[in-house]
């Protein structure tokens, strides 16, 4: 089967690695990165232009297109592909509003009876102070639009919260002010086909740039799965209390959801409450989650794209745990320095290293082209072993000025994550 994967980051490298488990596939990725050439033909494409994606899919006679990032989904890439008769994995433009508009997502959750934070939509600067007063610290300020995982500020510093709100409104987007949701966060990926929901393994992301959850929010500095602290039946509760009601509400509205629904939830005293939805696989949680999937990835993606998820056999998983640690370029997330040469071990092994922001210079050397450069992967019978293996991989990679967190999964390993 000829498959086109759209995207260029660590998530897409993980998708390619999962799809490559099926020897019958012929993989193309666009725009891709330097680490993907061993798994797929790398082509160029404008991810913001659905017609460009359709043209490439037609050129290579793609039989399935898998959309990785959110931008082409919100732009309507799946709609254009389906209209051209090409099966695609991902939600339509309207359904992708669950990520593209936080206000839309709040409205869906209210109708579906799903727990989430209280929120107020602010569109002019004059309303910012009143909203901050209403919710109090810690302040939660969200860009009501796409922001690549970096549009949220959670802080006790009122001036920082206000400055972020002003910046968002100044850029032309509304702001969502929310009440703070207490409790550890869970990332649960759910395959969704209409009202059929199939969960993957629960994971946890580390958003802050530095150890001990200090520094600014990033796209994610590491992740691990499954979660040893999640209560028995926790996944089922998120599915039953969040994913299924939302899927049913989308069907009721005449915009059924098809693809991957990422549920980001805080586990508080009453159980899970939604922090956010994404309309695609999350990054970097995808990397450890898919590394434990025994079932060839093509099977569930194809089942969803064809509207046959309910017929899919149970997914099979490797035992144990997996973790990823992100190698970030100097200056990330504010002003990442690109162009640095990357050397070390495991750079060509997708079971150990997944590329996120890499390219080749004029001399053919591997160089950093983005803020999040690489993902080091580790697996083990215990979470501590999995994390140790990931650090063994990342410690063998060299990039001048690069940084990475040293405490991925440490609160879980040390038993410091407690539920109310």
């Amino acid at each position: 089967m000829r498959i086109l994967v759209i995207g260029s980051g660590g998530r897409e490298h993980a998708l390619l690695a999962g799809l490559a488990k099926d020897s019958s596939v012929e993989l193309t990725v666009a725009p891709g990165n330097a680490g993907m050439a061993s798994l797929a033909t790398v082509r160029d494409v404008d991810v913001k232009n659905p017609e460009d994606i359709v043209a490439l899919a037609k050129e290579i006679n793609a039989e399935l297109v898998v959309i990785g990032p959110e931008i082409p989904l919100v732009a309507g890439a799946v709609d254009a592909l389906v209209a051209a008769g090409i099966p695609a994995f991902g939600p339509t433009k309207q359904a992708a509003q669950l990520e593209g508009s936080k206000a839309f997502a709040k409205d869906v959750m209210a109708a579906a009876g799903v727990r989430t934070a209280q929120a107020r939509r602010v569109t002019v600067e004059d309303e910012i102070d009143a909203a901050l007063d209403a919710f109090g610290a810690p302040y939660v300020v969200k860009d009501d639009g796409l922001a690549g995982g970096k549009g949220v500020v959670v802080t006790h510093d009122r001036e920082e919260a206000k400055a972020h709100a002003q910046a968002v409104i100044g850029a032309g987007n509304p702001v969502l002010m929310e009440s703070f949701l207490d409790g550890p966060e869970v990332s649960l990926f759910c395959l969704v086909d209409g009202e059929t929901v199939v969960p993957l393994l629960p994971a946890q992301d580390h958003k802050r740039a530095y150890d001990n959850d200090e520094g600014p929010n990033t796209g994610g500095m590491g992740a691990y799965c499954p979660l040893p602290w999640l209560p028995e039946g926790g996944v089922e509760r998120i599915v039953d209390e969040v994913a299924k009601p939302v899927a049913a509400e989308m069907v009721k509205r005449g915009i059924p959801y098809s693809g991957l629904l990422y549920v980001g939830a805080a586990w508080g005293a009453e159980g899970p409450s939604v922090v956010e939805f994404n309309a695609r696989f999350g990054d970097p949680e995808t990397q450890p989650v898919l590394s434990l999937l025994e079932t060839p990835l093509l099977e569930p993606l194809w089942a969803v794209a064809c509207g046959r998820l309910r017929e899919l056999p149970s997914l099979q998983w490797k035992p144990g745990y997996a973790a990823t640690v992100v190698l970030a370029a100097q200056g990330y997330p504010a002003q990442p320095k690109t162009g640095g040469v990357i050397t070390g071990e495991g750079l060509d092994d997708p079971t150990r290293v997944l590329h996120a922001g890499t390219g080749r210079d004029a001399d053919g050397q591997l160089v950093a082209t983005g803020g999040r450069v690489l993902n080091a992967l580790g697996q083990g019978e215990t979470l501590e072993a999995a994390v140790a293996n990931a650090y063994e991989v990342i410690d063998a990679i060299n990039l001048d000025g690069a940084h990475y967190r040293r405490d991925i999964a440490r609160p879980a390993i040390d038993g410091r994550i407690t539920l109310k």
Side-chain angles (χ1 to χ4, degrees), residues 58-84:
K58 287 182 175 179
E59 180 186 337
I60 67 170
N61 295 313
E63 297 166 90
L64 173 65
V65 179
V66 178
I67 308 291
E70 62 273 23
I71 289 174
L73 293 170
V74 173
V78 168
D79 307 68
L81 288 161
V82 172

Side-chain angles (χ1 to χ4, degrees), residues 195-254:
E195 295 194 42
T196 303
V197 176
V198 175
L200 306 189
L201 294 179
Q204 188 178 59
D205 182 16
H206 295 258
K207 284 290 187 189
R208 299 286 184 172
Y210 310 122
D211 287 1
N212 302 313
D213 286 332
E214 296 179 357
N217 266 4
T218 71
M221 294 298 292
Y224 65 96
C225 71
L227 306 180
W229 49 266
L230 192 66
E232 184 176 354
V235 168
E236 290 75 13
R237 281 196 65 181
I238 296 173
V239 169
D240 291 341
E241 297 177 21
V242 178
K244 285 186 175 180
V246 165
E249 176 62 23
M250 294 293 280
V251 169
K252 182 179 177 181
R253 294 180 179 218

Side-chain angles (χ1 to χ4, degrees), residues 270-300:
E270 296 181 348
S273 294
V274 174
V275 175
E276 65 174 350
F277 291 129
N278 290 162
R280 36 72 193 187
F281 283 97
D283 189 342
E285 299 99 318
T286 299
Q287 289 84 309
V289 169
L290 291 190
S291 76
L292 292 180
L293 181 63
E294 286 276 24
T295 301
L297 182 59
L298 175 58
E299 294 180 15

Side-chain angles (χ1 to χ4, degrees), residues 345-369:
E345 301 175 12
L347 295 172
D348 298 322
D349 182 353
T351 66
R352 300 174 67 195
V353 176
L354 294 169
H355 292 234
T358 65
R360 298 282 177 184
D361 65 11
D363 298 321
Q365 298 180 106
L366 188 67
V367 297
T369 60

